Amino acid sequence: MATRSSNSSPARTQRTDGNTTRLHILETAGQLFAERGFAESTSKEICTRAGTNMAAINYHFNGRDGLYEAVLIEAHRQLVSIDELVSLASVQTDPRLKLRAFLTHMVELGSQPTAPWGFRVVLREALSPSPAMPVMIKRAVLPKAKLLRGLIGEIMALPDDHPTVQRALMFTVLPCIVMMVAPKDLGNKVLPAIKDTEALADDLMRYVFAGIDALMKGATASAPAASKAGKRR
């Protein structure tokens, strides 16, 4: 028994060291991609900053492209993770309160004095999409969008794939994303009132729920008209 325990320790240490190296490379690359973007960041500079070699990048990420894909996934997680969404949604039973908790969380993230590097990586990717964009959409965006579509669909009493629900999600989330990635000086110098995070969150919710209620009425009004048109045909 003692022999097996002794033999297993190096394996555990190796796995721990490997994960530490992977996270260190990911963090270093994320900061560089945030500063310069994907096109202007070389593998050589990533290796120099991380104090590692190309073999480590190939081993952990299958090269620079794979590393950038991993950086994008982590960057989107820094905006909001699927675990955070699930946790926020589990606190309340009323879907409106769930949505309020989520949006308030995003407003609070946007009000932080210094944003994580992931904010700038996502912004750069949005402004100048790379070949890795489909990976980020599939692995990071779609799972979160599905959860939020279900939440808004519950509020609107519509299927989560209904066009009105999809548009409502876009109108609801995009302002929060803009606040999260916008330069801090923009708020300080142009719109100083948005520094009041509590008031900002309260007003955002009034704005969002008024819009959702208006879209609900529009969807309800158009449904009978579409049904009658179908019967005439």
Side-chain angles (χ1 to χ4, degrees):
M1 294 295 289
T3 302
R4 283 197 298 270
S5 175
S6 175
N7 290 341
S8 65
S9 295
R12 285 197 298 270
T13 302
Q14 185 177 12
R15 285 195 294 271
T16 301
D17 291 345
N19 189 54
T20 299
T21 300
R22 183 184 187 280
L23 292 175
H24 177 60
I25 295 172
L26 184 67
E27 179 71 18
T28 303
Q31 293 175 4
L32 185 59
F33 289 138
E35 292 172 16
R36 300 188 182 178
F38 174 65
E40 300 299 323
S41 301
T42 66
S43 298
K44 180 179 179 180
E45 186 164 8
I46 293 170
C47 291
T48 300
R49 286 196 182 191
T52 186
N53 53 45
M54 192 61 198
I57 293 179
N58 290 335
Y59 176 78
H60 290 287
F61 302 99
N62 294 319
R64 175 172 168 267
D65 290 349
L67 173 57
Y68 185 62
E69 290 178 0
V71 165
L72 282 180
I73 301 304
E74 169 60 18
H76 210 275
R77 187 200 67 78
Q78 290 180 11
L79 291 181
V80 61
S81 72
I82 189 69
D83 291 338
E84 285 175 315
L85 284 179
V86 172
S87 177
L88 290 168
S90 66
V91 173
Q92 303 286 349
T93 55
D94 185 336
R96 288 179 179 257
L97 293 179
K98 291 180 181 181
L99 183 60
R100 181 184 182 88
F102 166 68
L103 295 181
T104 300
H105 175 67
M106 293 191 73
V107 169
E108 290 172 347
L109 283 176
S111 67
Q112 293 177 354
T114 56
W117 54 257
F119 286 44
R120 285 174 289 157
V121 170
V122 171
L123 180 60
R124 284 183 176 275
E125 182 65 21
L127 295 175
S128 181
S130 73
M133 173 66 87
V135 175
M136 183 178 75
I137 291 174
K138 180 180 179 180
R139 295 178 54 189
V141 178
L142 285 178
K144 300 169 191 175
K146 182 173 177 58
L147 191 153
L148 290 172
R149 282 205 329 262
L151 186 57
I152 292 176
E154 189 178 355
I155 293 172
M156 303 181 81
L158 291 170
D160 69 349
D161 60 350
H162 192 283
T164 303
V165 172
Q166 296 180 43
R167 289 190 286 266
L169 174 60
M170 181 183 70
F171 298 146
T172 298
V173 174
L174 280 184
C176 295
I177 294 176
V178 170
M179 286 188 284
M180 292 170 74
V181 301
K184 300 304 175 186
D185 283 348
L186 181 65
N188 295 334
K189 296 179 180 178
V190 180
L191 302 169
I194 67 174
K195 289 188 293 186
D196 186 343
T197 306
E198 185 175 351
L200 182 62
D202 287 341
D203 285 347
L204 174 65
M205 296 319 305
R206 294 186 185 98
Y207 192 86
V208 165
F209 286 137
I212 286 177
D213 290 341
L215 290 173
M216 286 172 59
K217 291 179 181 178
T220 302
S222 63
S227 177
K228 290 178 182 178
K231 289 179 179 179
R232 284 198 298 270
R233 287 195 296 269

